[in-house]
Amino acid sequence: MRLLKIHIKKYKQLNDFTINFKSIERSVGKDPFRFLIGRNGVGKTSLLEAMGLIFTCIMQDETPGFYFEMMYSIELDGVTVKIEVQPNGDILQLSQRGIPGNAHEIDTESRLQVHVVDSTGMKTRLDLRKRPFSEWKEYHPRRIIGYASGPTNIFEDVLLHSPEESIKSDIYDARHGSPAEQDYDLQMLEIEHSLINLHRLYDDASYLYIDGETSKYVLLCLSAAIPSLYSEKEPKLDKRYIALREKLFDMIGGVKPIGVTFVVDEEKLKEYIESHQVPPRFQLLVKWMSTQRELPKDQAICHVWNISRDKTNTSNAIFNQSIKKERVAFFSISGHQNDEYRCQGFGFDINPFDLLTMLLVAKREGFLLDAHLMFKHKGLEQLIHEDALSDGEYLWVGRLGLVLLSRANGNGDVLFLFDEPDVHLNESWNEQFVEMLHQLSENDKGKTKDEFIIATHSTLLLTDADPDQLYLLERSRIEPTHVAPMSISTFAANRAEISKRIFGVDSPIGQYSMRLLKEKFNSEDKRELVDLMKKVGPGYYRFRIHTQIEKLEQSKDNEEGGKENITSDEED
């Protein structure tokens, strides 16, 4: 998919805001990486949230609560079509233009107005009364994935809670809030449709939000499964995926996975088994966790152990304690030859991204209570688990590993919303971030079919950004947030110039060190300047101190030379 245009009437800092996305064909890399840049508070995160709200709502036949217009493209069977979506307002629009509307011809019931523009430019409006937009799956992004670093983001609400609450509200309105004379069949149809959307929301996991806590599930799924490629004779493992996975793991010390542990709610497990009503998304997990003994290696499920335990949960009240029954299972990981390690007990056909969505849905439903990965670092024998990794290692694997998992899960059309992915990463990793993004997102034909919207302040990331991939957001007291023209190209540019021209940085060093240096620059004390130069790192300001020392030495030599000449003249 490719985003083409978004207009937002009013959402947080965004007021009558429009962004037109440029064609990637003009960029150097021709990859769909869109960088939102600008100072704090201009609305970069708000724009990411608004995008998530719009898509999660329209895919459930809802509106986000603010007026919008959006245009994006989808490739169907090698042909690109454009989708235009906005809230439905035919009657209002026609009355404002003085055109009488025919109620039989105009859709006044649907919340959305959707047009499809084919490759010839012919524009057709979808009849959402016959088939709601939630059922036009071919015109949807296959998935919306959000990853945020800041404490004020609401991605979890946008991608998970907001769609659920909106659908539940529709069900309530249909049951209790509608007029008594409403047609009963129509009322039941609306409720049925809302329930279908609700089940789809739970089961399809079309919207995923990953944060620091759930990053470990990305690490676990990378370690426990490999996508298979089906040839004419038999399935085989994806060698490209294996090589990229190993490259990621080598950057965090060379991870060698040993096994994974799942902890589930035993009462819910028992309920699922007895009722035979297991949610489709985690049927496999229920199957794995319901086996209480180790099975032979040639069978589909091989536990090293699977036990039940009672665990005490203590609330804030000192005397309020409860016993929670948990089922714990350990699955070993084998196949380390040629780095083809995976959990044999999960079966050959399980896709690592499907495994991730299953675990996240099971966690959201309260069935999966915890999960752990046991591993060793290459060349070391100590067995450790994921808590031994640093925040930066966690987030590096979480962000880029998510891209690799998505690449192995289909034909693209995933919308990634990354809010400051450079946070917690060292400069070496930030230097490699965009390059790794290219490698991990490209398919076998060297193309990236997913869409990436990345909000960042990192000048290092921006040196890898083509001018046509950049969108500078600005606002002032008299002008709302808007996309401003770029004054420079950041591609392969000097980072100090990027900081100065885009983020308004006046100095290449911090204000504290600058103040101290200014106090010393005009010093006449050579010893003081020599001591200062020992503390200052390489660069312009060290050179400037060195120059000042040379001037003092030259001045002293001149004075001493002058005195010698005067003495000589007097003697003569």
Side-chain angles (χ1 to χ4, degrees):
M1 70 164 293
R2 297 290 180 262
L3 288 172
L4 303 175
K5 176 184 177 180
I6 295 178
H7 171 74
I8 296 169
K9 185 67 175 176
K10 178 63 178 175
Y11 178 75
K12 293 189 175 180
Q13 301 100 316
L14 307 177
N15 188 9
D16 277 331
F17 174 84
T18 300
I19 181 169
N20 292 288
F21 293 96
K22 306 164 191 173
S23 170
I24 63 171
E25 294 304 319
R26 298 186 298 172
S27 63
V28 176
K30 297 184 179 180
D31 285 299
F33 305 148
R34 326 283 194 170
F35 295 90
L36 305 179
I37 59 176
R39 303 188 187 189
N40 292 93
V42 296
K44 300 185 298 295
T45 298
S46 296
L47 180 54
L48 292 176
E49 291 172 2
M51 291 179 186
L53 274 171
I54 291 171
F55 272 110
T56 54
C57 286
I58 67 174
M59 291 164 68
Q60 302 292 340
D61 304 310
E62 302 285 346
T63 58
F66 55 84
Y67 181 82
F68 70 93
E69 296 173 8
M70 181 171 63
M71 182 187 301
Y72 61 97
S73 65
I74 293 281
E75 187 175 304
L76 299 176
D77 299 324
V79 178
T80 300
V81 297
K82 296 179 182 179
I83 316 299
E84 299 178 1
V85 189
Q86 65 185 74
N88 193 7
D90 274 328
I91 295 295
L92 177 61
Q93 293 175 6
L94 291 174
S95 62
Q96 289 175 341
R97 292 160 52 192
I99 303 174
N102 189 327
H104 296 289
E105 297 177 358
I106 299 175
D107 177 7
T108 60
E109 300 167 3
S110 304
R111 292 186 174 90
L112 301 173
Q113 186 179 144
V114 182
H115 290 88
V116 177
V117 184
D118 64 18
S119 58
T120 66
M122 181 177 292
K123 188 173 181 179
T124 305
R125 180 171 176 176
L126 300 182
D127 189 346
L128 303 184
R129 291 171 296 185
K130 294 181 178 179
R131 183 184 178 191
F133 191 60
S134 59
E135 297 181 8
W136 293 86
K137 305 289 285 186
E138 64 271 29
Y139 295 145
H140 296 182
R142 194 163 53 86
R143 230 172 230 108
I144 314 292
I145 298 178
Y147 201 123
S149 307
T152 60
N153 81 86
I154 60 168
F155 267 170
E156 186 170 12
D157 286 333
V158 166
L159 298 179
L160 300 179
H161 302 149
S162 179
E164 179 181 1
E165 292 304 316
S166 181
I167 296 172
K168 288 181 178 178
S169 177
D170 286 344
I171 296 174
Y172 177 84
D173 290 343
R175 292 182 61 186
H176 304 289
S178 58
E181 63 269 15
Q182 180 181 8
D183 181 78
Y184 179 80
D185 292 337
L186 183 61
Q187 186 180 23
M188 290 299 102
L189 182 64
E190 184 176 350
I191 293 175
E192 181 182 0
H193 177 68
S194 295
L195 287 173
I196 291 173
N197 281 341
L198 190 62
H199 287 299
R200 184 186 294 122
L201 177 66
Y202 290 153
D203 295 337
D204 288 353
S206 296
Y207 324 124
L208 295 179
Y209 169 68
I210 304 293
D211 57 10
E213 179 186 358
T214 49
S215 287
K216 72 175 179 181
Y217 292 96
V218 177
L219 175 64
L220 187 152
C221 294
L222 282 170
S223 304
I226 301 175
S228 57
L229 302 175
Y230 286 87
S231 62
E232 295 181 357
K233 296 182 178 179
E234 59 182 9
K236 57 182 180 180
L237 299 178
D238 186 340
K239 299 293 185 181
R240 175 66 174 163
Y241 175 90
I242 293 171
L244 290 171
R245 177 179 69 175
E246 205 58 24
K247 190 171 184 177
L248 272 181
F249 281 3
D250 283 345
M251 297 183 73
I252 57 172
V255 169
K256 181 182 177 182
I258 303 300
V260 297
T261 300
F262 295 143
V263 183
V264 301
D265 186 322
E266 188 160 41
E267 294 298 325
K268 287 192 174 184
L269 176 64
K270 182 179 179 181
E271 179 183 333
Y272 288 143
I273 296 173
E274 292 178 351
S275 66
H276 302 288
Q277 295 181 351
V278 183
R281 262 295 168 185
F282 48 92
Q283 286 179 346
L284 276 176
L285 184 58
V286 171
K287 179 181 178 182
W288 298 339
M289 300 302 295
S290 60
T291 304
Q292 301 188 49
R293 60 185 178 83
E294 183 178 354
L295 299 178
K297 292 183 178 180
D298 59 348
Q299 294 195 23
I301 304 174
C302 52
H303 303 90
V304 173
W305 46 262
N306 189 328
I307 61 174
S308 298
R309 70 182 184 190
D310 292 341
K311 187 172 182 179
T312 301
N313 291 333
T314 306
S315 67
N316 292 330
I318 298 177
F319 300 105
N320 184 12
Q321 294 183 346
S322 61
I323 303 298
K324 191 175 189 66
K325 291 186 177 295
E326 298 179 342
R327 175 69 62 84
V328 186
F330 177 82
F331 302 84
S332 62
I333 292 176
S334 58
H336 290 85
Q337 299 81 6
N338 302 318
D339 300 320
E340 295 181 356
Y341 46 82
R342 59 192 179 91
C343 183
Q344 302 284 351
F346 293 168
F348 189 87
D349 293 335
I350 188 166
N351 185 283
F353 198 95
D354 291 339
L355 177 61
L356 175 65
T357 56
M358 178 177 69
L359 297 181
L360 291 177
V361 171
K363 181 179 183 295
R364 186 178 67 185
E365 294 298 304
F367 175 58
L368 179 65
L369 303 177
D370 208 351
H372 295 287
L373 172 71
M374 273 60 71
F375 65 93
K376 297 179 180 179
H377 284 300
K378 290 182 178 178
L380 301 177
E381 290 303 316
Q382 181 183 5
L383 184 65
I384 54 181
H385 63 81
E386 75 284 346
D387 287 349
L389 297 175
S390 68
D391 289 344
E393 290 173 319
Y394 243 138
L395 297 173
W396 172 259
V397 174
R399 291 160 185 164
L400 290 175
L402 196 58
V403 178
L404 179 57
L405 291 178
S406 178
R407 172 191 172 276
N409 188 242
N411 298 320
D413 292 334
V414 175
L415 174 61
F416 284 91
L417 303 174
F418 279 172
D419 192 10
E420 298 190 63
D422 48 281
V423 172
H424 293 294
L425 302 185
N426 63 63
E427 288 289 74
S428 173
W429 285 354
N430 279 333
E431 179 188 23
Q432 301 176 65
F433 186 85
V434 176
E435 172 61 20
M436 289 296 294
L437 204 58
H438 279 267
Q439 294 182 26
L440 296 170
S441 62
E442 288 179 353
N443 59 22
D444 295 336
K445 297 180 180 179
K447 294 184 177 181
T448 302
K449 298 188 68 177
D450 297 327
E451 178 80 287
F452 293 84
I453 311 296
I454 305 167
T456 183
H457 293 116
S458 171
T459 56
L460 192 50
L461 261 65
L462 296 183
T463 62
D464 281 333
D466 182 280
D468 289 327
Q469 296 174 326
L470 293 176
Y471 301 88
L472 175 61
L473 271 58
E474 291 184 350
R475 73 168 179 169
S476 65
R477 292 181 179 179
I478 60 174
E479 193 173 14
T481 296
H482 62 282
V483 179
M486 295 287 299
S487 60
I488 62 169
S489 169
T490 64
F491 187 75
N494 182 280
R495 294 177 64 189
E497 281 298 312
I498 297 175
S499 296
K500 180 180 180 181
R501 303 281 287 274
I502 293 179
F503 298 109
V505 177
D506 296 325
S507 169
I509 62 176
Q511 291 187 0
Y512 175 73
S513 58
M514 175 58 77
R515 177 172 61 82
L516 293 183
L517 289 176
K518 283 182 176 180
E519 293 173 356
K520 305 294 184 182
F521 276 152
N522 297 322
S523 173
E524 299 294 330
D525 188 335
K526 176 183 174 182
R527 183 183 298 276
E528 185 179 46
L529 290 173
V530 170
D531 290 341
L532 178 62
M533 191 170 68
K534 293 177 181 178
K535 302 291 185 179
V536 176
Y540 167 75
Y541 295 100
R542 182 181 177 88
F543 170 76
R544 186 170 172 180
I545 295 171
H546 179 73
T547 301
Q548 180 68 8
I549 293 173
E550 287 187 333
K551 286 182 179 180
L552 291 176
E553 291 176 343
Q554 184 66 38
S555 175
K556 183 178 180 181
D557 290 343
N558 290 339
E559 289 179 2
E560 292 177 353
K563 289 180 180 179
E564 291 175 358
N565 291 336
I566 291 173
T567 304
S568 176
D569 291 341
E570 288 178 349
E571 289 178 352
D572 291 342

